[in-house]
Amino acid sequence: MAATIETAVEPHKVFDTILVLDFGSQYTHLITRRLRELNIYSELLPCTQIIAELSWHPKGVILSGGPYSVYEDGAPHVDPAVFELDVPILGICYGLQELAWQFGKNVLAGEKREYGHAKLQVHMHMDHDSAVNRLFKDVGDDLEVWMSHGDKLSQLPPSFHTIAVTDNAPFAGIAHESKSYYGIQFHPEVTHTPQGTQILRNFAVEICKASQKWTMSNFVEQEIKQIRTLVGPTGQVVGAVSGGVDSTVAAKLMQTAIGSRFHAILVDNGVLRLNEAETVKETLTAQLGVNLQVIDASDRFLAALKGVTEPEKKRKIIGNMFIDIFQEVAKSKAKEAEGSSSAGPIEWLLQGTLYPDVIESISFRGPSATIKTHHNVGGLPAAMHLKLIEPLRELFKDEVRILGEQLGIPHELVWRHPFPGPGLAIRILGEVTPAQVRIAREADAIFTEEIRTAGLYRAISQAFAALLPVRAVGVMGDKRVWEQVIALRAVETTDFMTADWFPFDGKFLKRVSSRIVNEVDGVCRVVYDITSKPPGTIEME
């Protein structure tokens, strides 16, 4: 039986939802984030979405930016049925051009590209219905905006009016005279457009009439009810726990919903952080009251990873083995419970999948073409008999932290740095061996300890030490050595979709480097990764 993913009742069937159709912009996810910050639920789907296949009706639609030219062969276009939904539509950048293309194909290559800051002049139309002017309500007449485009409209589509201009874009904002269709050439979702959030609010609240009821308090109340409905009065759930904030919050949510019928499992896959299994067991059982079982499967995982160097293959091996173990545990617990009041099969597997995991693992046409397979959304065996339940699947990381605090999880746990399901296996570039795990584990522990000592842990969103698949020459104790290289990575981010490297001072890095080289046998060099996301990802693999 193929794996089935369950999220109880999807939020778009409970909350008013703005649908964002993704044409490939690196900023697309920020549209969804800004709307949720306004307490409006928003969902991202690929621009190729067939509208007739939607099982729900959005309150409005936003067409995102993208790297294409609408007039080129093979350029992505929206399903024309979107215009039959009878809801407001906002086109942003490429989305504006797509809107114009659908209503007259008046788009051409610009003589001058426009990237970065621009001055926008708003044109109000006092002689037309106020609907034309609603997008720019209460934002002023002159705005600073962020542009990123080469193409532009050559003329207005029929029945549209100009509502904003820049020196280089005579149709930087357009509005239909009778339908609630709007297009803007700039990006309101980025912080470089100071009035951008107000513009998105005008569209979602004033024009689409979406209710602002998306809060974590509303979500947790709804989700607990739906989990109980989905699992039923006697159903049992086995849950994957790693000690990271995602799985911790998911475990606490499930335990709150169904109590002792939830069985949390921490699989020691041999690539956990230093003393991780012991720390997680103490935390979840003593502090949160979660029923946790630790299973040492390190030998099985390390044997399966022997000789494997390709990142995707590592992830899939680990993901499949996790599922095998969880299914074994489910059968074992069901057998143990035979004849008792808790007798019955365990049918469900809980995972702490988040929305960025989904976005990065599903191939959208454009953007967000598949970046990597997350162990909890890709590489699962088709024969898996457990049904997946993923209550956090629609949430961003910052929303999960808020949810964790709503559930009473201690502050230090809610703000713990994320740790990937595949563990150190994707922080050891190249083959994973016990010797390499030791090096990566010890270096990571030193880095984390120094970050905490410096009082920087909360200022950093995620930090770790990775082991590179190279060796370098060094001199240690008057002796020439040829040893391995550790790469330190630390980033600042809110939603983990984009991230900047953390600007440590030189003294801190010098201290960390000295400790790692002197205390971790087999390392003679330490480097610091200063790559932002994009173009890099947060993890090395």
Side-chain angles (χ1 to χ4, degrees), residues 65-121:
Y68 306 99
S69 294
V70 293
Y71 48 78
E72 291 180 344
D73 291 341
H77 293 289
V78 72
D79 179 354
V82 74
F83 299 102
E84 299 171 11
L85 287 172
D86 193 28
V87 298
I89 297 174
L90 171 64
I92 295 174
C93 198
Y94 182 96
L96 159 73
Q97 295 160 17
E98 173 67 7
L99 197 62
W101 193 254
Q102 294 286 340
F103 284 87
K105 297 183 171 52
N106 301 311
V107 181
L108 47 72
E111 296 177 1
K112 179 182 176 183
R113 294 179 181 271
E114 194 170 24
Y115 296 110
H117 295 282
K119 295 294 184 182
L120 183 87
Q121 290 183 312

Side-chain angles (χ1 to χ4, degrees), residues 120-156:
L120 183 87
Q121 290 183 312
V122 174
H123 286 187
M124 290 296 193
H125 293 264
M126 307 311 295
D127 55 333
H128 287 282
D129 183 87
S130 60
V132 174
N133 302 315
R134 280 188 291 176
L135 189 65
F136 290 124
K137 178 184 176 183
D138 298 330
V139 298
D141 297 329
D142 297 290
L143 308 180
E144 183 176 325
V145 299
W146 186 260
M147 291 284 197
S148 180
H149 69 100
D151 298 337
K152 63 182 182 181
L153 271 61
S154 57
Q155 63 185 58
L156 274 175

